[in-house]
Amino acid sequence: MAIVVEFGCTVHQYATQFHEIVFPRPSVCPSCQAQDCLIGHGFYPREPLDQEQVYRILVKRWRCKGCHRTTSSLPSFILRFRHYLLVVIQRALTARHEDRLKEGDVLTVVK
């Protein structure tokens, strides 16, 4: 499970200034609702894409002392189970549905 966190930075800033980022500890376990039970459990890699490059970032992971499940602090610029950044997905959906572009034409707008 993931908790979406707004870090107030872009993916580029997150990647380059990673060691300066403060990761707020969630106060409640999203799985069992226990209070103040999450402890740091390392990081896991993600490689989100934008139109031009792949970013290599780390996502903070937490483990509940009560239910032993893990959760992560997912930056708001990426989505679970998606390779592309949120801004790229948003552009593609806007082009397809609001601008009424055909599927093949959406790629030219997103790139």
Side-chain angles (χ1 to χ4, degrees), residues 14-15 18-19 23 43-46 56-60 73 75:
Y14 184 95
F18 177 77
H19 296 291
F23 294 92
F43 299 88
Y44 66 89
R46 286 285 304 265
R56 287 174 175 74
I57 65 169
L58 294 174
V59 176
K60 179 66 177 164
S73 294

Side-chain angles (χ1 to χ4, degrees), residues 26-99:
S27 59
V28 177
C29 173
S31 297
C32 71
Q33 307 305 311
Q35 297 281 329
D36 299 319
C37 62
L38 293 170
I39 57 174
H41 194 59
F43 299 88
Y44 66 89
R46 286 285 304 265
E47 294 185 347
L49 304 148
D50 69 5
Q51 299 95 322
E52 300 166 3
Q53 74 179 70
V54 175
Y55 294 92
R56 287 174 175 74
I57 65 169
L58 294 174
V59 176
K60 179 66 177 164
R61 181 179 287 169
W62 305 94
R63 184 171 187 265
C64 178
K65 294 186 282 185
C67 69
H68 306 289
R69 299 201 55 179
T70 60
T71 189
S72 58
S73 294
L74 192 65
S76 60
F77 48 77
I78 55 177
L79 297 173
R80 291 179 68 199
F81 309 115
R82 299 290 179 259
H83 293 287
Y84 287 94
L85 292 171
L86 181 58
V87 67
V88 176
I89 295 169
Q90 182 180 14
R91 282 188 199 133
L93 289 172
T94 300
R96 179 73 171 117
H97 296 286
E98 290 181 11
D99 301 339

